[in-house]
Amino acid sequence: METAQLLTQKPPKKINLKGLWIEDLERLLRELGEKRYRARQLASWIYAKGATEFDQMTDFPKKLRKKLSQIASIDSIKLVKKQVSPKDFSEKYLFELSDGEKIETVLMREGKRVTVCLSTQVGCPLGCTFCATGKMGFKRNLTTGEIVDQILALRRERITHLVLMGMGEPLLNYDNVLKALRIINHELGLSFAGKAITLSTAGIPPMIRKLAEENLRIGLAISLNAPTDEKRDQLMPINRKYPLKELIASVRYFKQRVKRRVTFEYVLIKEINDFKKDAQTLSQLLQGLPCKINLIPYNRVPDLPYQRSSEEKILAFRDYLYPRCPVVTLRLSKGEDILAACGQLRTQS
Ligand code: SF4
C-alpha cells in the first residue's frame, strides 16, 4: 500500500463498552483470551463505579488494560447546557450524543426524593397533539449506553427514583430499553430496585404484555389523558391502532403478573378532557382495576393551541374521582418555567 494511502486510512473504530452487558463483555474478553470472571469486574467498573478510563481499573493487570484500550473505549454523552428552575429547583440537562443529536433529561427534587426523568428516543414517532416532543417528530432510538449514561452523568446527585418518561416512547425502543433496565437494576450495574423505577407509555398493548413477562418488577404508568376512544383518538393518534379496550386489558394483565399497582397519568386540558362527564366515564373505565390516577394540569407548550384547565375545574375533577377511585393524586408539575415539565421536552438549542 502507498504511504499516502496509509496516512489517509482511518484507524479501526473502537468498541464503545457503555451499553454492553455481562454476556457481551464475556464474549469480548473471550476473544482477547481472558477469563470469564473479568466480564463481571469490567461491568462493575463501568456502571457501578462509573469508570471512564481503563487505567482506573486497578485490579486489572496492566497488560489487560492496554489490550482493552487498544480496541475499546468508554464513551460518554456530552453535557451542553443545564438549566435550573428558580421556582422549584428542578434541573433540565441538554446532552449531545456522538452523532450530534440532542436529548433532554430532567432531575426533580422533593425532600429526600431525587427523581430523574430519562429520555429513550430522539424525538417521538407518536405525535400526541398536546406534546412538544411529539411535535419534533422522530429522529432515532437511543442506544442502551445513551439511556444508562443519562444516569451516570448525574450520579453525584444521589438519585433515588427513575422514570422513563422523557422524550420518546420507551416501548417502541424495547430491546435497548430492556437491556438498559437490566443494567440499571443489577447489583453490578446501577443497583436501582424495581420499585424505584417507573416506565411510562402512551399504550402499546403487545409490548405491555411482553414487559409483564420480563421479571423486572418495575412500575408501569399509562399516559391516558382521555376516557373515551373518541377523545383519545384526537389527543393520542396511537389510540386509533390500540383502542382503550385493548389497552386496559393489557394493563390488567400487567397488574396480574407483576402485582404492582399501575398509575394512569391524566393531563387536564381546558375544555378538552376536563368535564364532569369525563371524570364519570374515567371512573367507570377503571372500575375494579387497582390503580392510581395522577392528575396533571396541562403545561403550556409554545405554538400549541391547548390551555390548562381552571383551578376550579381541576379540583372538581379530582373531587369527583376520589373516593370513587382508590388513589387520586394531583401532581403539580415541576420545572414548568424552564419547559422541563411533562410534555414540554423539545431540544431547541
Ligand atoms: S406524550 Fe409521550 S408518547 Fe406522546 S408524543 Fe409526547 S413523548 Fe411521544
Side-chain angles (χ1 to χ4, degrees):
M1 195 179 288
E2 299 287 324
T3 323
Q5 244 180 314
L6 275 172
L7 287 173
T8 51
Q9 222 182 22
K10 281 191 189 155
K13 207 170 173 320
K14 290 186 178 179
I15 308 161
N16 178 14
L17 299 190
K18 212 175 265 171
L20 300 192
W21 192 222
I22 297 171
E23 54 278 8
D24 311 310
L25 298 172
E26 278 176 355
R27 223 171 296 129
L28 181 88
L29 286 157
R30 200 183 315 127
E31 276 170 30
L32 294 178
E34 293 293 332
K35 294 253 166 31
R36 200 171 162 197
Y37 75 91
R38 292 282 186 209
R40 295 174 75 82
Q41 283 180 310
L42 188 51
S44 165
W45 272 113
I46 299 169
Y47 303 110
K49 298 177 195 145
T52 50
E53 307 282 341
F54 295 107
D55 274 340
Q56 291 170 283
M57 303 176 183
T58 44
D59 53 359
F60 279 13
K62 267 203 178 139
K63 220 170 113 196
L64 171 56
R65 283 187 246 162
K66 191 166 172 212
K67 257 201 258 179
L68 282 170
S69 65
Q70 280 164 348
I71 58 145
S73 58
I74 308 167
D75 299 345
S76 300
I77 54 175
K78 202 168 104 198
L79 178 64
V80 178
K81 190 165 150 192
K82 175 182 171 182
Q83 281 174 277
V84 182
S85 158
K87 267 198 203 160
D88 57 34
F89 306 107
S90 57
E91 295 162 15
K92 183 166 80 167
Y93 295 85
L94 181 72
F95 290 110
E96 187 178 305
L97 312 175
S98 58
D99 59 356
E101 293 293 356
K102 296 195 179 74
I103 52 162
E104 291 184 329
T105 307
V106 179
L107 182 142
M108 294 155 289
R109 300 177 197 279
E110 213 170 358
K112 285 191 177 156
R113 194 180 170 116
V114 179
T115 304
V116 167
C117 179
L118 302 170
S119 290
T120 53
Q121 296 181 313
V122 182
C124 180
L126 293 188
C128 300
T129 56
F130 56 88
C131 170
T133 312
K135 215 167 170 264
M136 261 179 81
F138 174 67
K139 302 257 178 78
R140 69 167 174 85
N141 283 331
L142 293 193
T143 63
T144 298
E146 288 163 344
I147 298 168
V148 173
D149 216 13
Q150 294 169 69
I151 312 166
L152 288 171
L154 305 177
R155 61 187 293 126
R156 287 210 191 103
E157 300 288 346
R158 294 180 184 274
I159 306 165
T160 59
H161 291 78
L162 296 170
V163 290
L164 284 76
M165 211 180 268
M167 296 167 71
E169 165 52 59
L171 295 184
L172 291 182
N173 183 12
Y174 193 85
D175 292 344
N176 291 349
V177 165
L178 185 72
K179 196 166 176 186
L181 287 171
R182 297 217 182 279
I183 295 173
I184 291 166
N185 190 222
H186 199 280
E187 71 205 28
L188 292 175
L190 294 165
S191 295
F192 281 89
K195 62 177 192 294
I197 307 166
T198 301
L199 181 146
S200 173
T201 172
I204 319 278
M207 293 296 152
I208 292 174
R209 288 173 186 271
K210 201 167 172 203
L211 186 68
E213 305 293 338
E214 303 285 1
N215 199 22
L216 272 168
R217 305 224 63 235
I218 62 166
L220 179 71
I222 306 292
S223 180
L224 189 68
N225 308 318
T228 61
D229 283 325
E230 201 189 347
K231 288 199 180 195
R232 202 165 189 264
D233 283 354
Q234 297 306 315
L235 291 172
M236 306 181 74
I238 188 69
N239 195 70
R240 293 178 208 151
K241 186 165 182 196
Y242 299 116
L244 281 169
K245 196 170 168 211
E246 209 180 324
L247 173 60
I248 301 299
S250 70
V251 172
R252 282 187 198 278
Y253 181 77
F254 186 93
K255 165 76 189 69
Q256 227 172 34
R257 294 285 305 190
V258 181
K259 310 223 169 349
R260 285 196 57 180
R261 193 197 290 272
V262 173
T263 300
F264 288 94
E265 312 272 353
Y266 193 102
V267 174
L268 282 160
I269 309 174
K270 186 177 177 181
E271 284 168 19
I272 300 284
N273 62 0
D274 63 351
F275 297 101
K276 186 172 177 197
K277 179 86 181 90
D278 293 322
Q280 285 168 343
T281 317
L282 181 61
S283 79
Q284 283 156 13
L285 179 74
L286 303 181
Q287 198 132 58
L289 178 61
C291 64
K292 176 174 146 185
I293 302 174
N294 198 5
L295 299 175
I296 309 163
Y298 183 66
N299 295 306
R300 84 193 150 85
V301 172
D303 312 330
L304 290 186
Y306 299 112
Q307 285 173 37
R308 172 181 291 217
S309 306
S310 67
E311 202 176 315
E312 199 189 333
K313 275 255 175 112
I314 292 170
L315 295 178
F317 202 93
R318 181 197 63 186
D319 293 344
Y320 181 86
L321 286 179
Y322 186 79
R324 289 175 178 85
C325 301
V327 187
V328 182
T329 55
L330 178 59
R331 189 171 96 195
L332 294 164
S333 280
K334 292 196 167 275
E336 195 202 357
D337 52 333
I338 54 166
L339 300 182
C342 193
Q344 288 183 313
L345 296 184
R346 166 165 62 178
T347 52
Q348 296 154 316
S349 28

